[in-house]
Amino acid sequence: MVMTTDTEQFTLEDFMKNPPENMEWVDEKLVEKTGMTLRHSEIQSRLSRYWGNYKSESGQGGEVYVEMPCRTQKQGRRPDVSYLTPELLERYRNEPTLPQSPPLVAEIASPTDVAEELLAKAQEYLDSNCQEVWLVFPEGRRILILTENKTIAFQSGDSISTQVVLEGFKIAVDELLG
């Protein structure tokens, strides 16, 4: 579910300078991120921990974030989970908002999310320097990975791995979804 806020004077530049908590800037309006459940938060936390542990253990460095504000070509977003490479971290660590999409993003579907909207959001990230998007559907126990050139579907019983970013990361779908 999405709640909009009356923001006659609030612009994308304002979002970039001072992104409000739990808000995205979509279609020239501040939109509150709502509809998240305990299950959503559990998977978000789990994926953040797994990516974070892996980037440290593999020596790839960088950092993993939850709800990190970023800018796409036309919106201000807060991906559920994202990974920044060491280079991006070095360059933008002290900025209030990443001025592009992170290279690796995960969006976890809430019961109120519409698949078409999540797919459009994934494409928006990919069009803004993201290299890989994970769309996680907890209720259907499926995960889609989208890159510039392909979309791969995984389901319960499968092992899933990163395709472009955070090279070598692998996990069972059932372990991630619990």
Side-chain angles (χ1 to χ4, degrees), residues 39 42-43 46 141 173-178:
R39 176 110 170 98
E42 175 187 344
I43 294 167
R46 190 176 293 146
R141 302 194 63 78
V173 169
D174 295 327
E175 183 178 348
L176 177 59
L177 299 180

Side-chain angles (χ1 to χ4, degrees), residues 86-99:
E87 297 79 20
L88 287 172
L89 188 60
E90 171 84 20
R91 185 169 180 192
Y92 297 113
R93 172 176 263 144
N94 295 317
E95 297 295 324
T97 304
L98 185 68

Side-chain angles (χ1 to χ4, degrees), residues 78-89:
R78 286 182 178 273
D80 289 327
V81 184
S82 54
Y83 166 74
L84 288 185
T85 61
E87 297 79 20
L88 287 172
L89 188 60

Side-chain angles (χ1 to χ4, degrees), residues 24 27 39 62 70 82 129 137 175:
E24 291 186 330
D27 298 331
R39 176 110 170 98
C70 70
S82 54
N129 295 323
F137 297 91
E175 183 178 348

Side-chain angles (χ1 to χ4, degrees), residues 3-54:
M3 304 283 296
T4 59
T5 303
D6 184 22
T7 54
E8 292 177 27
Q9 307 301 318
F10 202 87
T11 66
L12 180 55
E13 289 70 32
D14 294 330
F15 181 89
M16 293 292 294
K17 290 178 194 167
N18 189 17
E21 287 294 315
N22 300 318
M23 304 289 271
E24 291 186 330
W25 195 84
V26 180
D27 298 331
E28 300 184 7
K29 294 184 213 93
L30 275 181
V31 177
E32 184 177 2
K33 289 184 74 170
T34 62
M36 296 193 309
T37 62
L38 291 176
R39 176 110 170 98
H40 179 281
S41 295
E42 175 187 344
I43 294 167
Q44 183 180 32
S45 175
R46 190 176 293 146
L47 184 56
S48 174
R49 185 173 61 250
Y50 286 141
W51 280 357
N53 289 345
Y54 184 77

Side-chain angles (χ1 to χ4, degrees), residues 83-144:
Y83 166 74
L84 288 185
T85 61
E87 297 79 20
L88 287 172
L89 188 60
E90 171 84 20
R91 185 169 180 192
Y92 297 113
R93 172 176 263 144
N94 295 317
E95 297 295 324
T97 304
L98 185 68
Q100 64 177 59
S101 292
L104 176 61
V105 166
E107 287 287 353
I108 302 157
S110 298
T112 56
D113 284 334
V114 176
E116 281 294 323
E117 291 172 4
L118 285 174
L119 289 166
K121 187 185 273 192
Q123 189 60 53
E124 182 184 323
Y125 289 132
L126 292 170
D127 290 342
S128 303
N129 295 323
C130 184
Q131 297 171 340
E132 182 173 344
V133 178
W134 288 31
L135 295 180
V136 181
F137 297 91
E139 298 304 313
R141 302 194 63 78
R142 295 184 187 275
I143 299 173
L144 296 179

